[in-house]
Amino acid sequence: MKKKLKVGFWEFIAGLILRNRILISIGIVLLTVFLSLQWKNVGMTYNEANLLPKNHKANKEYTQFLNTFGEEGNLVVIGIKNPRLFTPKVYKAWEEMMNRLKSNSEVELVVSLNDLKKLHKNDTLEQFELIPLVDPKRTLDPEYLKEIKRQLFHDLPFYEGLLFNKKTGSIRSAIYIKKDVVNSPIRKDFIIHKLVPAIETFERTTKIDLKVSGMPYIRTINTENMKGEIGLFIGAALFITSLIFFLFFRSHRATFISICILIVGVMWSFGTLGLFHYKITILTAIIPPLIIVIGITNCIFLINKYQQEINTHHNQAKALQRVISKIGVSTLMTNLTTAIGFATFMITGNELLYEFGLVTSINVITVYLLTLLVVPIVYSFMPLPKEKHLSHLNKNYLSSLLNWVEHLVRYKRNLIYSIYGILLVFSIVGLTQMKVSGSLIGEMPKSASFFKDILFFEKEFNGVMPLEIMINTKHKKGVFKASTIRKMDELQQTIDSLPELSKPVSIVNLVKYSKQAFYNGNPEYYSLPDSQEQAFVLSYGKGLGKGKSKDNLMKSYVDKTGQYARITTFMKDIGTEEMAKIEQKLQAKIDILFPKERYEVTLTGKALVFQKGTSYLVNNLIESLIFAILLIAGLMAYMFRSWKMIFASVVTNILPLCITSGLMGYFGIPLKPSTILVFSIAFGISVDNAIQFMAKYRHDLIQNNGKIKKSVISALHETGISTFYTSIVLIFGFAIFTLSSFGGTIALGGLISVTLTFAMFANLVVLPALVLTTERWSGKQDVLDIQDEPSTTIYRDYSEEKDV
């Protein structure tokens, strides 16, 4: 009864589609128009991706830091390493560039050589004053500029590591963008239309190459690169999939129909993003080409089945009905497994992955429904395919391939299992060598000019990734206590001893500079004042915490109450493992210096939040992969009601994941957010072919009165061609992502292609062999003699379905 109901349902769906083809076509057009109107809500993201949930401890600590000291990621640095800077012509160009940037409303503060301030002791007023280092009226004098250079590098240790490198002679300027601008579209306009042109003007005038970095600049250029790659991926995906499709089917008509379906699918994917008001991120940017690559497989299954039916009986009505009623149900299940693979990202607790998983899983199902409706409807208006369009069904190389696979499955199962076991051992050994890693700039385009600039700042100033230490003294003005200052200085000495970190900056530096200024600027006195000097030095510093914000040296490092202080350093791109070691070293020192009953010290900053986010995401993505496997196994249990079928399907498709993991270990590819995504996606896609085979095998087992071998071989020949076609298209389709300039996208595309390559051979060879073996476990006897000749007819109809 249940079987009749199921068959009747899909026959009813087939009749419904074919009888209402005009109405359905109008509905598709209207839905496409509606979703196209949602494109206006799609835009590029201007916020940095947060890998942690909002309620995570590290996120809460970072938010508290931002609430106390404001946005830390608003700094753009411009570096130069050329002695010609201290010549009148070049210095003039530098000064003009900085003044031009300073005049922009988006800029809060510019700290540069041309308007650098130095502390001066005013004995008359008995206080320190901030006076300009450079007299702009004398900058045309080469000798004066040489003296300024000498003063900067020898007399102002306060700025060493912050604005210059004494050993190499490199100098940088700091441009602070307003905090209400840094995460808005205005930032992009400033970077692209004001900052970059100003830098280019300087470079043309002086013939000196400047280095530019900082998170606002990197994020903006990254976004522009990402925007350019969306069109590249869509074009490349359409071209490669349609080309392979045409080479297989040799039909312009079938190829054109498929391209039209895929283009509408892309339009729907952008419309879905707009409907949810989601922005385009590094992940959502790859959804449209993903839909092309995944959607073409539906076209292959349905069009291939239609041509098989026409090749058998030349009855169009019967063929269209069978396309919907027979392939419709199996492709529904395969698309559900693919959608599940993406949907599991929604349980990671990460907003970026939630949006990616939700939109992709929805569009996988919608493009399936689109294909299921459009293919039969369009072909119902067309004449029967010609013989030349069906010639691919009897290609000699496909016949030879499937006959060879059949021979292996029949007679060489022990060889298959031996190879399987060797590959499994090989994979486990490689898996033990895999490492978890990730970095803020590790996924960025290595060929981009700004990446080379990042390396420059890493070499000259020990990095651009901020690491912050926030100290809560639990009392107002507790920061200014001599004991607190000494503890902070000892912690800074520890930071300074770590080669991965830059020279730290805090109120301690200003206190040391104050003592130097008290002794008339003698750099030998750049140190903390002792107990006898403290009263005199600090009495002169009473005016430093007041005045305009731009001249207030303490404003960025001590809050208004004097209760909170920060120590800022920058970190090289060292990866999460080394970063964790540094965090442990710093935390150990903090625990010694700052008793928890008197101080509350927090390690935070973008670099640390990213490191914790990477570890958190990898752990959660592993859980989501396990969840995906269990969920898909549950779906297959509902479909087949046989533990042997589930066992054979899951074991077959876990092997490719193991092989890919092993290869990652051997080649030193770390486990990080971009590479862990591979496994859930690849498993959800690769198991599709197993479902197609199992569905056909179960059907043929009934038709063949329980003859196991005959059913396995017929299912192999029936689904083998589609498995081969779809696998090739998917392998090359995902390979287009290796055209990206982003390391994460390259890894995603390349590793999925490798996984699907192994999955193709596993589903063609290992799966049929396992089915034969597991059926023997149950004690079933096969009527088919093992000495029967291998099948020579690839496409046969084993069903007794009625005509429409």
Side-chain angles (χ1 to χ4, degrees):
M1 180 69 183
K2 186 174 181 180
K3 183 189 167 202
K4 289 181 180 178
L5 181 64
K6 188 180 291 185
V7 172
F9 172 77
W10 282 99
E11 286 180 345
F12 169 75
I13 293 295
L16 190 68
I17 292 172
L18 295 173
R19 284 194 302 269
N20 299 280
R21 53 189 182 174
I22 301 296
L23 188 62
I24 291 173
S25 300
I26 294 172
I28 291 173
V29 171
L30 292 177
L31 181 58
T32 303
V33 171
F34 169 74
L35 288 174
S36 298
L37 294 175
Q38 305 305 311
W39 293 1
K40 64 180 183 293
N41 300 322
V42 180
M44 305 302 295
T45 181
Y46 295 96
N47 295 317
E48 207 162 5
N50 193 339
L51 302 181
L52 291 169
K54 291 181 180 179
N55 59 353
H56 193 278
K57 180 184 176 184
N59 253 347
K60 290 181 177 179
E61 292 174 345
Y62 185 57
T63 301
Q64 184 187 4
F65 170 81
L66 295 180
N67 291 337
T68 306
F69 292 103
E71 174 65 47
E72 62 156 351
N74 63 334
L75 173 64
V76 176
V77 288
I78 302 176
I80 181 173
K81 186 179 180 181
N82 195 305
R84 288 174 54 209
L85 174 62
F86 293 95
T87 60
K89 180 182 177 181
V90 176
Y91 182 83
K92 182 182 178 182
W94 180 269
E95 185 178 31
E96 289 175 351
M97 176 179 67
M98 290 302 160
N99 289 334
R100 178 179 170 183
L101 293 174
K102 193 191 302 183
S103 65
N104 290 297
S105 60
E106 300 88 349
V107 175
E108 181 179 9
L109 174 66
V110 174
V111 180
S112 181
L113 176 63
N114 57 296
D115 60 356
L116 207 60
K117 300 292 192 297
K118 65 178 181 179
L119 275 181
H120 174 72
K121 185 175 72 169
N122 188 323
D123 288 321
T124 304
L125 299 176
E126 294 188 347
Q127 67 179 30
F128 294 125
E129 296 176 332
L130 285 169
I131 62 173
L133 173 66
V134 180
D135 183 356
K137 297 178 181 179
R138 301 178 62 187
T139 54
L140 295 177
D141 182 2
E143 294 302 318
Y144 176 73
L145 291 177
K146 288 182 181 179
E147 174 57 23
I148 292 298
K149 181 180 179 181
R150 187 201 66 78
Q151 285 187 41
L152 179 68
F153 283 94
H154 296 281
D155 296 344
L156 297 174
F158 175 75
Y159 292 110
E160 185 178 355
L162 184 65
L163 293 180
F164 69 88
N165 184 326
K166 185 175 181 179
K167 294 180 180 179
T168 64
S170 56
I171 291 176
R172 67 177 175 181
S173 291
I175 295 96
Y176 291 89
I177 300 175
K178 288 182 178 178
K179 292 163 186 175
D180 58 345
V181 168
V182 73
N183 289 321
S184 73
I186 301 174
R187 183 198 77 209
K188 171 206 158 187
D189 293 333
F190 168 72
I191 297 292
I192 300 297
H193 302 298
K194 296 178 181 178
L195 177 70
V196 172
I199 291 170
E200 289 175 346
T201 300
F202 175 88
E203 291 178 334
R204 281 196 306 269
T205 303
T206 64
K207 309 299 181 188
I208 295 176
D209 179 42
L210 295 181
K211 308 295 182 182
V212 190
S213 193
M215 296 313 295
Y217 177 78
I218 293 171
R219 285 159 57 190
T220 301
I221 303 302
N222 246 352
T223 300
E224 293 302 299
N225 290 342
M226 184 169 61
K227 190 189 299 183
E229 288 192 354
I230 294 174
L232 170 67
F233 288 153
I234 293 174
L238 274 174
F239 173 77
I240 195 70
T241 53
S242 58
L243 176 63
I244 296 174
F245 186 94
F246 177 77
L247 291 176
F248 284 154
F249 285 88
R250 301 289 179 175
S251 170
H252 291 95
R253 184 168 63 184
T255 305
F256 179 74
I257 293 170
S258 300
I259 290 175
C260 291
I261 291 171
L262 297 177
I263 290 174
V264 174
V266 169
M267 296 171 69
W268 286 13
S269 67
F270 279 116
T272 309
L273 285 169
L275 194 63
F276 288 107
H277 292 267
Y278 289 161
K279 299 300 181 183
I280 294 178
T281 64
I282 188 68
L283 282 179
T284 55
I286 67 173
I287 291 177
L290 269 178
I291 295 305
I292 292 173
V293 174
I294 294 170
I296 194 69
T297 61
N298 296 319
C299 297
I300 290 174
F301 278 120
L302 269 69
I303 293 175
N304 191 51
K305 177 63 174 176
Y306 174 71
Q307 292 184 351
Q308 287 179 30
E309 294 293 333
I310 294 297
N311 191 45
T312 302
H313 50 68
H314 298 282
N315 186 324
Q316 187 180 56
K318 182 178 180 180
L320 292 174
Q321 189 240 19
R322 288 186 176 178
V323 164
I324 299 171
S325 61
K326 297 303 174 186
I327 298 299
V329 63
S330 59
T331 50
L332 171 62
M333 293 305 158
T334 58
N335 280 273
L336 278 176
T337 58
T338 302
I340 287 171
F342 287 105
T344 52
F345 297 142
M346 297 168 61
I347 66 172
T348 59
N350 177 263
E351 186 178 354
L352 193 69
L353 282 173
Y354 179 88
E355 294 177 2
F356 174 68
L358 176 63
V359 175
T360 309
S361 56
I362 289 174
N363 279 275
V364 166
I365 299 301
T366 56
V367 80
Y368 155 74
L369 294 173
L370 179 67
T371 311
L372 185 67
L373 295 172
V374 171
V375 169
I377 289 174
V378 171
Y379 272 108
S380 70
F381 288 105
M382 291 183 172
L384 291 176
K386 298 178 182 178
E387 287 298 324
K388 65 178 182 179
H389 298 144
L390 306 177
S391 60
H392 72 95
L393 298 175
N394 298 299
K395 290 287 186 184
N396 290 331
Y397 72 89
L398 291 175
S399 303
S400 301
L401 172 64
L402 293 177
N403 286 334
W404 175 72
V405 171
E406 178 186 338
H407 176 76
L408 290 178
V409 171
R410 279 171 171 265
Y411 308 113
K412 304 291 184 181
R413 289 199 292 277
N414 288 336
L415 176 63
I416 293 172
Y417 299 147
S418 298
I419 295 174
Y420 188 109
I422 292 171
L423 289 175
L424 193 60
V425 172
F426 169 84
S427 303
I428 292 172
V429 172
L431 191 60
T432 59
Q433 301 176 31
M434 188 184 296
K435 295 181 179 179
V436 176
S437 184
S439 71
L440 269 172
I441 64 175
E443 309 286 8
M444 295 178 184
K446 302 293 189 293
S447 58
S449 58
F450 74 80
F451 189 82
K452 297 175 183 176
D453 291 352
I454 290 174
L455 298 180
F456 169 84
F457 285 105
E458 281 210 343
K459 180 181 177 183
E460 300 294 327
F461 297 97
N462 276 26
V464 294
M465 296 186 297
L467 178 66
E468 303 282 355
I469 301 174
M470 185 171 70
I471 301 169
N472 178 7
T473 61
K474 299 184 179 182
H475 295 92
K476 289 185 178 180
K477 296 186 178 180
V479 172
F480 303 110
K481 290 184 177 180
S483 59
T484 301
I485 296 294
R486 284 195 297 271
K487 290 176 183 294
M488 290 177 64
D489 182 46
E490 192 172 344
L491 179 57
Q492 288 192 195
Q493 291 175 25
T494 301
I495 295 172
D496 215 13
S497 67
L498 298 173
E500 299 87 355
L501 301 179
S502 68
K503 184 178 178 181
V505 180
S506 73
I507 184 66
V508 173
N509 301 64
L510 183 59
V511 173
K512 291 180 178 180
Y513 191 19
S514 299
K515 178 181 175 180
Q516 179 188 350
F518 184 80
Y519 287 101
N520 300 315
N522 188 339
E524 294 182 2
Y525 288 92
Y526 183 76
S527 60
L528 291 179
D530 58 30
S531 56
Q532 294 180 342
E533 298 167 324
Q534 184 175 323
F536 297 102
V537 172
L538 295 183
S539 66
Y540 271 73
K542 58 182 178 290
L544 290 179
K546 302 175 183 179
K548 297 179 181 179
S549 61
K550 289 190 177 184
D551 291 335
N552 188 347
L553 294 180
M554 290 192 296
K555 179 176 179 291
S556 297
Y557 297 100
V558 180
D559 79 319
K560 294 178 182 179
T561 65
Q563 179 176 330
Y564 292 89
R566 71 189 275 196
I567 300 175
T568 300
T569 182
F570 292 90
M571 183 179 290
K572 291 182 178 180
D573 182 33
I574 54 177
T576 54
E577 197 172 313
E578 291 300 318
M579 204 180 294
K581 293 178 181 178
I582 289 175
E583 181 188 3
Q584 290 175 358
K585 291 179 182 178
L586 292 178
Q587 192 61 56
K589 189 67 175 179
I590 288 169
D591 292 341
I592 294 172
L593 292 173
F594 298 93
K596 291 184 178 180
E597 63 273 10
R598 292 173 53 197
Y599 298 94
E600 184 180 333
V601 183
T602 304
L603 271 168
T604 186
K606 290 188 185 297
L608 193 65
V609 171
F610 183 85
Q611 178 258 323
K612 291 183 180 296
T614 298
S615 301
Y616 171 87
L617 202 57
V618 166
N619 291 335
N620 278 266
L621 284 171
I622 291 173
E623 291 176 8
S624 74
L625 171 62
I626 296 171
F627 182 70
I629 293 172
L630 294 177
L631 202 58
I632 291 170
L635 182 63
M636 295 175 72
Y638 172 77
M639 289 174 59
F640 302 127
R641 308 299 172 95
S642 168
W643 71 267
K644 295 185 291 294
M645 286 186 172
I646 300 169
F647 173 81
S649 301
V650 173
V651 168
T652 297
N653 286 282
I654 283 180
L655 175 64
L657 303 184
C658 295
I659 294 174
T660 301
S661 303
L663 291 174
M664 288 173 63
Y666 287 119
F667 288 100
I669 302 172
L671 200 63
K672 51 186 178 180
S674 58
T675 54
I676 193 66
L677 287 174
V678 169
F679 300 102
S680 292
I681 296 173
F683 183 79
I685 293 173
S686 65
V687 80
D688 293 354
N689 289 323
I691 291 176
Q692 290 284 357
F693 174 83
M694 287 301 194
K696 181 60 181 170
Y697 164 68
R698 185 182 64 171
H699 173 268
D700 289 355
L701 195 62
I702 297 171
Q703 297 297 322
N704 295 326
N705 298 317
K707 296 179 181 179
I708 297 170
K709 285 193 178 70
K710 184 176 181 180
S711 301
V712 167
I713 300 307
S714 65
L716 172 63
H717 283 283
E718 176 82 11
T719 62
I721 186 69
S722 293
T723 297
F724 180 74
Y725 280 179
T726 55
S727 296
I728 293 298
V729 170
L730 287 168
I731 290 165
F732 283 95
F734 277 100
I736 62 123
F737 292 118
T738 59
L739 298 175
S740 175
S741 55
F742 293 91
T745 310
I746 294 171
L748 183 73
L751 290 172
I752 289 179
S753 293
V754 170
T755 307
L756 293 179
T757 301
F758 288 112
M760 177 179 68
F761 290 106
N763 283 306
L764 281 174
V765 179
V766 179
L767 181 58
L770 275 176
V771 170
L772 287 175
T773 301
T774 53
E775 291 289 10
R776 280 191 171 187
W777 292 348
S778 62
K780 292 182 181 179
Q781 296 299 317
D782 197 341
V783 182
L784 182 65
D785 189 355
I786 201 168
Q787 297 300 323
D788 288 348
E789 291 296 321
S791 302
T792 55
T793 303
I794 295 181
Y795 297 98
R796 293 176 292 181
D797 182 27
Y798 295 94
S799 61
E800 299 293 335
E801 301 96 350
K802 297 179 181 179
D803 295 352
V804 176

